[in-house]
Amino acid sequence: MAAAREILPADAELMVDVNCPWSVTDAIAHAKALHPLNLGWLEEPVWPPDDLAGLAEVRKQGTRIAAGENAAGVKGFIEHFEHGAIDVAQPSVSKVGGITAMLQVFALAKQYHVHVVPHCFYYGAGLMATAQLVATLDESVSLEVPYIQWQEALYPQLNFTPQMTLPETPGLGFEPSPVVLKKYLISSQTLSLNAEVTHA
């Protein structure tokens, strides 16, 4: 982490996700040691992730704390906020209860003066929904995407250049590539309104 901070430009933000490895005591020690690195945030430092009192203690060390991808729905975020456990809320559309629940978390975070950066280690519908949700937030909030390069893009609109242009079509706004679908299709079934099944 220190090596990354040293090599990055001074104005570059460094966020660190440690994925729930430490006891509260160890997390406090690490947060103190990391404080000079001026991290954008330290993500999920405590095991278990729902030890909110412990997370709040780690936060008191002065290193910004991010968490929430494992929160138990909207109620779980209310508990995070009421415990003063986080600086950055990270709701996950695929875990928290969908788009409606995400919007509720956004509104609650504003009431509690907590920054929101949605968690999104997804492709397909999870990524598409998160992209639409991030577009409703402040322009400083970026879309998290997994750093994986596919040989062929099932959703060509999901380009991971510094900016993504969202479609204005209904729903999530993305259509899969029929060429890629056809290339990898093994079999399919079509249901008619009369519940008859045809095989292709």
Side-chain angles (χ1 to χ4, degrees):
M1 295 177 209
R5 178 71 275 171
E6 185 176 341
I7 201 169
L8 286 170
D11 62 346
E13 193 173 21
L14 174 62
M15 288 80 75
V16 175
D17 181 0
V18 292
N19 200 22
C20 313
W22 299 318
S23 68
V24 172
T25 301
D26 287 344
I28 287 172
H30 285 295
K32 286 179 179 176
L34 292 170
H35 192 259
L37 299 183
N38 193 28
L39 297 179
W41 69 62
L42 177 62
E43 183 173 336
E44 290 197 315
V46 170
W47 178 261
D50 59 355
D51 182 355
L52 302 183
L55 205 55
E57 288 301 312
V58 178
R59 183 177 175 234
K60 289 177 183 176
Q61 308 313 310
T63 296
R64 285 165 50 83
I65 300 298
E69 68 175 272
N70 293 305
V74 176
K75 185 176 184 297
F77 275 98
I78 292 171
E79 292 171 352
H80 276 72
F81 300 149
E82 290 183 346
H83 276 84
I86 53 176
D87 299 280
V88 181
Q90 298 178 298
S92 171
V93 70
S94 299
K95 297 179 181 180
V96 78
I99 291 172
T100 300
M102 288 285 280
L103 294 174
Q104 291 172 358
V105 172
F106 290 2
L108 286 164
K110 187 176 286 188
Q111 289 177 26
Y112 284 88
H113 306 289
V114 174
H115 191 56
V116 176
V117 179
H119 167 266
C120 181
F121 200 79
Y122 305 115
Y123 284 100
L127 175 57
M128 297 172 209
T130 307
Q132 298 283 3
L133 287 159
V134 167
T136 71
L137 296 170
D138 185 87
E139 288 186 8
S140 66
V141 179
S142 297
L143 174 65
E144 178 185 17
V145 294
Y147 190 72
I148 301 170
Q149 303 297 317
W150 299 101
Q151 284 186 313
E152 297 174 277
L154 180 58
Y155 296 93
Q157 307 97 322
L158 294 176
N159 55 67
F160 301 150
T161 57
Q163 289 190 329
M164 178 189 294
T165 301
L166 296 177
E168 296 182 5
T169 50
L172 296 179
F174 296 88
E175 292 288 336
S177 163
V179 175
V180 175
L181 282 176
K182 184 176 181 181
K183 181 175 179 179
Y184 294 99
L185 181 66
I186 296 171
S187 67
S188 68
Q189 292 183 345
T190 303
L191 297 177
S192 71
L193 292 177
N194 296 324
E196 295 174 354
V197 177
T198 60
H199 296 274

